[in-house]
Amino acid sequence: MSNIPEIFASDVFNLKTMKERLPKETYKALLKTINNGEHLTPDVANVVANAMKDWAVEKGATHFTHWFQPMTGITAEKHDSFISPTKDGEVIMEFSGKELIKGEPDASSFPSGGLRATFEARGYTAWDPTSFAFIKDGTLCIPTAFCSYSGEALDKKTPLLRSMEAINKSALKILGLFGSTAKRVTSTVGPEQEYFLIDREMYSKRKDLIYTGRTLYGAPSPKGQELEDHYFGTIKTRVAAYMKDLDESLWKLGIYAKTKHNEVAPSQHELAPVFSTTNIATDHNQLTMELMKRTARKHGFKCLLHEKPFAGINGSGKHNNWSLSTDTGVNLLDPGKTPYENAQFLLFLAATVKAVNDYQDILRASVASAGNDHRLGANEAPPAIISIFLGDELTDIINSIVNGTHYNGKDMAEMEIGVDVLPNFPKDTTDRNRTSPFAFTGNKFEFRMPGSRLSVAGPNTVLNTIVAEVLDQFYEELKDAPDFQDALDTLIKKTFSENMNIIFNGDGYSADWPVEAEKRGLLNLKSTPEAIPCYVLPKNIEVFEKHGVYTETELHSRVEILLEEYCKVINIEALTMIDMAKKDILPAVSTYVKELAKTAKLAKECGAEASFETELVKKLSSLSSDMYAKLGALEEINLAAHDITDMQELSTYYHDKVFTAMQELRCVADQIETLVGEKYWPYPTYGALLFYT
Ligand code: ADP
Ligand code: MG
């Protein structure tokens, strides 16, 4: 392989390339736009566009696209070539500043939740210069935000950028009280991406995987993940070749792919990048998912990003590591070594704890989807209840603050905030609990609820906004205090005292926890139809509007889009199950039963008992009758959904009725699978899918 530093970001129009390619004045003007959001004049835009085009053409690009992130949760692009006809019938390659800055895709088919009436189908895309342009497949991709003509956000990126502004403003005000000289605070994110790799040929034989990304039927294989031999295990040669190829493609796009390993479930893996600012992390994660899929094709694999492709073994998540950092290089969630740093740390920690407690509902809603419902609140991975893990040491310190008692930590002196030094928290003492949905891991929080397929834009938009809100509340309490130190002590003590209910260091998977959580007044929003409407509770509309992140209209549109998407997903799954049962499974059972019956008849004619064949014929006939009945029930229940028009009611119906009927059908089918000869079964089994060589 080529030299990594040499190929790294070779397909990105980053600061280094800009500096090389742009006239000094243009570069300076562009930097101002990137760093301070200053407006770009048309002259400057033209120069930048031209330089970008020359660079891209040299690298073999022929087209450009405004690359955006509509509410579908994936990315969208429409390619235009650089060619422009000349009078003499030739072409030249052109790209103007106007084309760079603004695009007008006909976007009538993207979900808008009623925001964009069809007669005003056009949306527009606007360049986000804080995320660099890059070349993908011969196309210059320009990261953009996507809005309606009246300015409403039609995408996931715009609210994220707005929330970054909100947290910047609020955090700077607080830092000002501590005498900080920081000029900018950004939220940082490192998303750990889990995925499954399966053989493409096996994949192409399963309609459920093709249509829905997950297996809708499938009996467990004799071996699952119980031996824990896959986690961090040796990587198969074929998978290693895939990972190497993927890393190289990611590096070329300037993505800091850093860690790769096998995960808990068979055929499950993880890739983690070095963290970056939230919007870049979001763009890079989208590209990572796209490249994971594309690279898989080259290696004869299919990459599954579904949150729960297989029942009975782990699903895939995307751990969202989140923190705040200043332009002066300070991580605000790093405890630091001096009393001054400690007090500031405790204040930001308190703000995050209070924000997560006050706005549990929207944080939960931000990760809700039909696919993630199989993880959250199901019998694995973080429960649907949001709680915070701080680790024993930090919890002891907080307890001593709350109770005003002496803290006898290892290297710890008396606990009076801002006067004494906190002990160092070695990272590993804080990260023992893998069952917590929101864990403090030494110098950042790790939000473990997001599903593998989710854009990280949503949860980070919420995190940034709610922490900004609490920081503003803190600012109001502190700004005119006659004695800052005293006010700070009181505020930190009060905040932790009032929010101890959400701090839980125990086993989040234990059966006792939901009972205990209810006593503590924590929410347990088990499904998407329960969680999504929280976006439009009055207190949540208020916080989003106050910080300029979502308007009330935008929030209503999101609720509409997300619930509708939920209904569509369940409907597709139900229809796929029906199709598979009718066209493949039941006919396969019939064929097998016929073979058995024929054999039994012949055997009996020879005077043999044929008890195996006879018994199995009876058993399978009875099970297939049951399956046929459950299939009929599912069809009827799914059809009746068409009569419901209210979206909230409809999504609840899909959850309570359709999904339940699907599970019942699956239960019988999976039982039948264990009894039917493998060569009769129409689909590759879990064993074949998960344990390929
Ligand atoms: P783990 O034990 O969870 O694997 P790692 O140290 O590997 O922990 O970190 C996981 C992720 O957290 C990585 O993507 C890393 O870049 C990210 N991360 C580390 N520090 C920060 C930070 N200050 N802000 C956001 N993400 C961070
Ligand atoms: Mg982690």
Side-chain angles (χ1 to χ4, degrees):
M1 191 196 54
S2 24
N3 178 333
I4 302 176
E6 223 165 76
I7 61 161
F8 190 81
S10 55
D11 288 343
V12 184
F13 196 73
N14 59 10
L15 290 180
K16 183 170 158 260
T17 318
M18 287 178 198
K19 204 169 176 182
E20 278 165 17
R21 301 242 168 193
L22 294 172
K24 224 182 197 157
E25 286 313 303
T26 314
Y27 177 67
K28 268 199 215 153
L30 185 55
L31 266 192
K32 277 192 189 150
T33 306
I34 294 172
N35 295 333
N36 317 328
E38 281 183 27
H39 198 70
L40 210 58
T41 64
D43 291 353
V44 175
N46 275 327
V47 178
V48 176
N50 197 50
M52 247 188 214
K53 182 257 307 170
D54 287 345
W55 168 80
V57 170
E58 276 169 38
K59 293 197 153 280
T62 51
H63 288 69
F64 71 92
T65 182
H66 274 199
W67 186 75
F68 58 104
Q69 306 179 20
M71 291 299 299
T72 50
I74 50 175
T75 56
E77 45 197 74
K78 182 192 84 176
H79 300 190
D80 282 304
S81 73
F82 291 122
I83 64 164
S84 174
T86 59
K87 279 194 188 116
D88 50 7
E90 306 273 305
V91 291
I92 50 165
M93 301 296 257
E94 263 187 351
F95 184 47
S96 68
K98 221 171 112 211
E99 286 171 309
L100 166 66
I101 289 176
K102 192 168 169 182
E104 298 189 8
D106 171 13
S108 50
S109 294
F110 291 110
S112 78
L115 274 184
R116 192 194 46 234
T118 27
F119 61 83
E120 184 43 292
R122 283 178 315 165
Y124 72 91
T125 49
W127 182 32
D128 165 21
T130 60
S131 181
F132 301 133
F134 55 91
I135 297 174
K136 185 167 63 82
D137 263 355
T139 296
L140 171 68
C141 299
I142 296 143
T144 54
F146 179 41
C147 295
S148 75
Y149 257 83
S150 39
E152 280 121 352
L154 293 173
D155 66 350
K156 302 220 168 197
K157 189 73 179 278
T158 310
L160 179 69
L161 292 171
R162 293 171 180 164
S163 77
M164 290 176 71
E165 263 327 294
I167 191 88
N168 172 48
K169 264 197 227 145
S170 307
L172 280 181
K173 279 197 294 186
I174 291 282
L175 288 179
L177 297 176
F178 282 88
S180 158
T181 55
K183 293 209 166 49
R184 186 144 194 104
V185 172
T186 35
S187 52
T188 51
V189 162
E192 298 165 57
Q193 179 71 49
E194 292 182 338
Y195 61 100
F196 278 87
L197 271 189
I198 59 168
D199 191 87
R200 193 160 193 99
E201 220 176 290
M202 299 281 173
Y203 162 84
S204 62
K205 290 184 181 145
R206 296 216 39 145
K207 288 180 188 164
D208 45 6
L209 286 175
I210 293 173
Y211 292 135
T212 73
R214 73 179 182 101
T215 52
L216 300 170
Y217 297 102
S221 51
K223 182 181 177 206
Q225 63 188 43
E226 59 278 71
L227 291 180
E228 289 163 348
D229 52 351
H230 195 254
Y231 191 54
F232 284 14
T234 318
I235 300 169
K236 283 178 195 162
T237 322
R238 200 177 150 196
V239 174
Y242 162 85
M243 287 178 166
K244 182 170 180 285
D245 199 0
L246 176 62
D247 275 342
E248 275 189 46
S249 313
L250 293 172
W251 291 332
K252 281 187 193 157
L253 286 174
I255 298 170
Y256 303 101
K258 172 95 175 158
T259 313
K260 52 189 181 186
H261 60 80
N262 285 350
E263 259 301 328
V264 173
S267 294
Q268 192 186 29
H269 314 280
E270 181 184 298
L271 183 147
V274 177
F275 68 95
S276 46
T277 62
T278 329
N279 66 324
I280 291 177
T282 302
D283 286 3
H284 283 182
N285 182 250
Q286 291 288 355
L287 284 170
T288 302
M289 291 194 285
E290 187 183 328
L291 283 168
M292 278 181 165
K293 288 186 163 272
R294 272 210 274 153
T295 311
R297 185 176 274 275
K298 279 203 277 176
H299 291 258
F301 284 127
K302 176 73 191 179
C303 171
L304 302 177
L305 289 173
H306 193 281
E307 299 85 347
K308 187 78 179 174
F310 304 98
I313 56 171
N314 278 10
S316 298
K318 175 146 46 200
H319 294 174
N320 188 85
N321 295 275
W322 177 91
S323 190
L324 293 172
S325 77
T326 66
D327 58 342
T328 47
V330 178
N331 175 355
L332 296 171
L333 288 176
D334 193 324
K337 290 199 170 66
T338 64
Y340 157 86
E341 288 170 326
N342 291 168
Q344 192 179 289
F345 159 72
L346 284 172
L347 192 68
F348 278 94
L349 184 77
T352 313
V353 168
K354 177 168 163 53
V356 171
N357 201 6
D358 287 354
Y359 297 99
Q360 296 162 45
D361 46 1
I362 26 176
L363 200 54
R364 164 69 182 95
S366 76
V367 297
S369 70
N372 216 20
D373 275 5
H374 296 280
R375 292 175 67 240
L376 308 180
N379 38 10
E380 68 145 285
I385 306 159
I386 296 200
S387 63
I388 301 177
F389 171 86
L390 291 180
D392 292 340
E393 200 167 16
L394 196 49
T395 307
D396 282 352
I397 291 170
I398 285 159
N399 276 329
S400 70
I401 295 173
V402 169
N403 304 325
T405 52
H406 189 80
Y407 176 71
N408 291 318
K410 280 179 255 147
D411 348 297
M412 182 53 197
E414 224 159 89
M415 195 61 236
E416 199 181 308
I417 303 143
V419 177
D420 300 305
V421 185
L422 296 180
N424 277 328
F425 308 109
K427 251 189 81 190
D428 24 330
T429 66
T430 56
D431 194 21
R432 295 266 183 250
N433 190 327
R434 290 274 161 191
T435 65
S436 175
F438 202 86
F440 183 69
T441 52
N443 59 2
K444 62 188 186 292
F445 275 101
E446 182 168 336
F447 184 31
R448 301 194 177 117
M449 275 185 163
S452 45
R453 215 168 21 157
L454 189 76
S455 157
V456 290
N460 289 304
T461 301
V462 171
L463 269 174
N464 292 341
T465 310
I466 63 182
V467 175
E469 168 58 24
V470 176
L471 289 175
D472 278 5
Q473 294 169 12
F474 283 5
Y475 180 76
E476 288 308 310
E477 291 212 20
L478 294 174
K479 67 171 195 223
D480 300 321
D483 181 340
F484 177 67
Q485 196 56 59
D486 200 41
L488 187 64
D489 279 13
T490 312
L491 178 62
I492 291 178
K493 184 170 173 175
K494 176 171 147 242
T495 307
F496 281 120
S497 312
E498 287 170 358
N499 291 282
M500 285 312 271
N501 65 321
I502 200 161
I503 294 170
F504 176 62
N505 295 328
D507 178 4
Y509 296 179
S510 80
D512 305 337
W513 172 231
V515 183
E516 155 89 16
E518 198 179 339
K519 278 193 216 142
R520 292 175 175 218
L522 299 177
L523 291 170
N524 187 359
L525 301 165
K526 289 197 186 107
S527 69
T528 300
E530 264 182 273
I532 295 296
C534 295
Y535 272 118
V536 287
L537 293 177
K539 76 171 181 48
N540 297 335
I541 295 178
E542 196 186 318
V543 74
F544 282 126
E545 287 217 311
K546 178 175 160 197
H547 294 273
V549 173
Y550 288 115
T551 62
E552 180 169 355
T553 323
E554 286 171 342
L555 284 170
H556 280 287
S557 88
R558 260 115 197 120
V559 169
E560 190 76 10
I561 291 169
L562 292 166
L563 289 179
E564 192 179 352
E565 182 191 88
Y566 175 84
C567 297
K568 286 179 178 166
V569 169
I570 304 287
N571 179 49
I572 293 170
E573 290 186 345
L575 293 176
T576 306
M577 283 192 92
I578 293 168
D579 180 277
M580 290 170 80
K582 275 191 189 165
K583 299 204 175 127
D584 303 325
I585 300 178
L586 287 172
V589 181
S590 278
T591 312
Y592 187 48
V593 167
K594 187 172 128 202
E595 276 305 305
L596 288 170
K598 264 205 295 198
T599 314
K601 192 164 170 257
L602 288 173
K604 280 180 186 160
E605 279 168 17
C606 300
E609 205 177 324
S611 58
F612 155 66
E613 288 84 356
T614 316
E615 287 299 311
L616 201 51
V617 166
K618 282 191 207 153
K619 207 167 182 181
L620 279 174
S621 297
S622 143
L623 281 170
S624 58
S625 302
D626 190 17
M627 182 170 164
Y628 185 65
K630 300 244 155 79
L631 169 66
L634 174 60
E635 264 189 301
E636 204 173 296
I637 288 167
N638 194 47
L639 211 59
H642 295 307
D643 302 333
I644 306 171
T645 46
D646 178 73
M647 199 47 83
Q648 177 66 58
E649 199 187 320
L650 185 63
S651 59
T652 309
Y653 179 86
Y654 271 110
H655 177 267
D656 294 352
K657 300 284 191 266
V658 181
F659 185 64
T660 307
M662 283 163 56
Q663 281 169 306
E664 283 177 9
L665 174 61
R666 174 178 186 151
C667 188
V668 207
D670 289 359
Q671 246 175 296
I672 295 178
E673 186 188 327
T674 63
L675 299 172
V676 174
E678 183 144 349
K679 74 166 188 182
Y680 294 88
W681 196 251
Y683 307 115
T685 61
Y686 267 29
L689 288 166
L690 292 167
F691 294 93
Y692 61 86
T693 48

